[in-house]
Amino acid sequence: MHLRRNPRHTSLQIPTRRVQAPAPAHTARTTRALGALLAVAALLVSACSAGASTSSATSNAGVALGALPRSTPAALSPYYGQKTRWHSCGVPGFECATLKAPLDYDKPADGDVRLAVARKKATGPGKRLGSLFVNPGGPGGSAVGYVQAYAGIGYPAEVRARYDMVAVDPRGVGRSEPVECLDGRDMDTYTQTDSTPDDARETAELVDAYKKFAEECGAHSAKLLRHVSTVETARDMDIVRAALGDAKLNYVGASYGTFLGATYAGLFPGRSGRLVLDGAMDPSLSARRVNLDQTAGFETAFQSFAKDCVQQPDCPLGAKGTPSAEAGRKLKAFFGKLDAHPIPTGDADGRTLGESLATTGVIAAMYDESSWAQLRDALSSAMKENDGAGLLVLADSYYERDADGHYSNLMSANAAVNCLDGQPAYDSPEEVEKAVPTFEKASPVFGEGLAWPSLSCAYWPVGPTGEPHRIEARGAGPIVVVGTTRDPATPYRWARALAAQLSSGRLLTYEGDGHTAYGRGSACIDSAINAYLLRGTPPVDGKRCS
């Protein structure tokens, strides 16, 4: 559901897809860092997303998220009265703390979850404006990692001068009692599972992979799995806000982080300060609609990549003038060859490049047009030289797998949150098989590979607690919703829908490619958001930038 990467944002495709924001194009980074950022912002096509609903693909768009009472319940007073004890993080300029939140807000006496918080204090000059919370998306992206690797040092200097840059790893994510599922070896197997089954045997293998993933999550994180919803995470942020002494929460969220930020505004409209929701999600959509929209979004992004690729002398998808559709057919045919005969990668653990990992690598590069040259090189090596190393690097970066074979908990947390926030899009392999032609119509290149992950939450060990709904946040101040017209992971129509739902939404449009817009090269976007964060002046609703 909801894709950047960490420091920001597809495959079994892993059962669920992420939505995380990519690192800004101007940020210097290694290939590995790029991968991390891509992964966070995109978690793409989620099998069960925040907007997930019933398998009938219906939507409760008429239901609006209700605000919580303004007064703090007595049972939560100890949490709201916590004092923050800062200590060194080991990262220059940053300090860290741990705060507590109730595991179950309905039963606060049943235990706590520990929340990891990081901060870089305002550098000045100018009057301090309080804390600015940031979240890179996912779900499953580490906000602490994001603020330390990018936001706390890469956000505009004038913003960092006036705000303390703050991040909280959501419950179940990163350093906040992470959800754990498969170990590295099993994750390697999982990410290589064929997600375009050709017969009953391959379908059974895919279903078994989904079941094993779910069972292991249940075995290792049984208690926590019931309490990692977006609503609970939003309530956690309010506890942290209070502990920091801020009357209102100021926030910049990317990708899935927009759903988290909008949820906060819906629950606490009177405590919502300056909120920027970049690469917005539409919480009113059913899971099926979310998955189809994202599939079409990645097709749109591929068309842009293909048009650029064939203008380059080293494009493996065709010479100058080759239609994008033909380039797509060539890539799809290559995926088919890999399905039958994976190619070498030189990987120390013996992994080869099959269709699933290759598709993930291509999709990872769709988040940020600055990675198109890297993708072009990786495809050239794979298609012309039988060398899958470049695409494997992209896929590993998406999954946050390091050179030692260890994975972050990004994908585990992604599944846990998505499967709790909404019901599965499909309940059986037969339902997916019937839906495949619709997905292929949305994307001839990626459709089949993005249809099957929609099944993964059907086997989740914990039942969902969420459903599609509108978020109005009546009583909140202006909320800036940012949409990119050719965003692959959070299609532009979602930003328009969220801005329309929010009673005080202001739509800011970037006409361009890539996932999210702030800090990625548009002076028009950056100046509009900076003016809002620094002076409280939101852009005119409907403002467009290029």
Side-chain angles (χ1 to χ4, degrees):
M1 142 179 189
H2 323 294
L3 294 186
R4 122 279 71 30
R5 244 183 195 274
N6 158 47
R8 149 191 187 86
H9 216 359
T10 306
S11 152
L12 195 143
Q13 285 194 69
I14 223 155
T16 53
R17 297 229 184 280
R18 314 171 270 160
V19 184
Q20 259 180 267
H26 63 266
T27 302
R29 58 191 184 260
T30 62
T31 298
R32 174 61 195 161
L34 166 61
L37 291 178
L38 286 175
V40 174
L43 283 192
L44 129 99
V45 181
S46 66
C48 12
S49 86
S53 173
T54 64
S55 40
S56 63
T58 57
S59 169
N60 291 333
V63 176
L65 179 66
L68 292 172
R70 289 177 176 269
S71 59
T72 300
L76 298 181
S77 294
Y79 296 102
Y80 276 87
Q82 292 177 88
K83 302 297 181 183
T84 310
R85 295 180 174 84
W86 297 104
H87 57 82
S88 173
C89 293
V91 179
F94 291 87
E95 50 190 0
C96 292
T98 301
L99 293 171
K100 294 180 179 180
L103 175 67
D104 185 344
Y105 276 91
D106 291 330
K107 301 176 181 178
D110 282 2
D112 303 328
V113 292
R114 296 180 300 275
L115 304 174
V117 185
R119 176 178 75 173
K120 186 176 184 183
K121 298 188 73 172
T123 57
K127 180 182 178 181
R128 182 181 173 278
L129 296 174
S131 304
L132 181 62
F133 286 65
V134 295
N135 183 282
S142 170
V144 170
Y146 177 63
V147 77
Q148 291 177 342
Y150 170 62
I153 56 178
Y155 264 34
E158 57 268 40
V159 173
R160 291 183 287 115
R162 306 285 298 281
Y163 284 100
D164 292 344
M165 301 298 296
V166 173
V168 185
D169 273 352
R171 53 173 61 200
V173 174
R175 304 174 196 181
S176 294
E177 302 197 18
V179 170
E180 300 293 348
C181 298
L182 302 178
D183 62 21
R185 185 179 298 276
D186 284 340
M187 275 296 293
D188 280 348
T189 300
Y190 185 59
T191 59
Q192 294 178 80
T193 302
D194 186 355
S195 60
T196 57
D198 300 315
D199 52 36
R201 178 185 62 81
E202 290 186 353
T203 299
E205 289 176 352
L206 181 61
V207 168
D208 286 344
Y210 290 155
K211 288 180 177 179
K212 179 177 180 179
F213 186 89
E215 289 168 358
E216 291 298 310
C217 291
H220 295 299
S221 303
K223 192 174 182 181
L224 187 61
L225 284 189
R226 301 180 185 277
H227 297 289
V228 292
S229 69
T230 298
V231 166
E232 288 164 311
T233 294
R235 298 187 71 173
D236 293 345
M237 286 203 303
D238 197 54
I239 288 175
V240 178
R241 173 204 58 77
L244 297 180
D246 292 306
K248 293 190 175 184
L249 181 128
N250 302 307
Y251 176 88
V252 178
S255 204
Y256 162 79
T258 68
F259 178 62
L260 177 59
T263 299
Y264 181 91
L267 296 173
F268 305 103
R271 299 174 192 168
S272 298
R274 300 170 187 178
L275 272 59
V276 177
L277 309 179
D278 185 11
M281 297 188 62
D282 178 359
S284 72
L285 298 179
S286 71
R288 291 185 184 182
R289 187 73 263 161
V290 166
N291 293 353
L292 279 170
D293 282 357
Q294 284 189 320
T295 299
F298 278 91
E299 181 68 23
T300 297
F302 174 77
Q303 296 294 321
S304 291
F305 164 74
K307 289 177 183 178
D308 177 79
C309 182
V310 299
Q311 300 301 314
Q312 314 303 323
D314 59 343
C315 179
L317 300 179
K320 187 173 182 179
T322 299
S324 297
E326 183 177 335
R329 286 191 290 271
K330 188 169 185 177
L331 180 60
K332 180 66 174 176
F334 175 63
F335 287 159
K337 290 180 181 178
L338 293 178
D339 188 29
H341 302 290
I343 62 177
T345 64
D347 177 60
D349 295 312
R351 291 177 300 158
T352 56
L353 185 79
E355 181 181 14
S356 288
L357 285 176
T359 302
T360 300
V362 173
I363 283 179
M366 295 296 99
Y367 287 95
D368 186 346
E369 65 272 26
S370 69
S371 63
W372 287 357
Q374 181 184 355
L375 174 60
R376 198 168 62 245
D377 289 343
L379 284 173
S380 292
S381 295
M383 298 174 75
K384 297 178 179 180
E385 301 170 19
N386 212 43
D387 179 2
L391 284 173
L392 184 64
V393 166
L394 284 167
D396 282 352
S397 71
Y398 181 86
Y399 289 126
E400 294 194 353
R401 181 194 192 272
D402 65 23
D404 295 325
H406 300 131
Y407 291 76
S408 77
N409 93 305
L410 173 65
M411 301 313 300
S412 298
N414 181 253
V417 176
N418 282 336
C419 293
L420 193 63
D421 272 350
Q423 294 186 6
Y426 299 98
D427 293 326
S428 70
E430 292 75 21
E431 288 186 356
V432 178
E433 287 176 355
K434 292 178 181 178
V436 165
T438 303
F439 277 81
E440 291 183 318
K441 183 178 180 180
S443 173
V445 178
F446 304 117
E448 184 181 10
L450 296 184
W452 284 96
S454 302
L455 179 63
S456 63
C457 284
Y459 309 105
W460 202 244
V462 175
T465 58
E467 62 181 4
H469 55 271
R470 291 178 296 108
I471 298 179
E472 298 176 351
R474 294 190 179 280
I479 299 174
V480 177
V481 179
V482 187
T484 297
T485 54
R486 294 186 295 279
D487 190 315
T490 52
Y492 178 62
R493 70 178 70 180
W494 294 359
R496 289 189 301 181
L498 180 60
Q501 290 171 39
L502 293 167
S503 62
S504 58
R506 302 287 184 91
L507 179 63
L508 175 62
T509 298
Y510 174 60
E511 296 177 345
D513 296 294
H515 182 46
T516 74
Y518 184 45
R520 298 188 62 234
S522 170
C524 175
I525 291 289
D526 291 356
S527 61
I529 293 176
N530 291 345
Y532 171 60
L533 293 176
L534 296 173
R535 297 187 291 278
T537 306
V540 174
D541 187 32
K543 179 179 176 65
R544 302 182 75 89
C545 296
S546 59

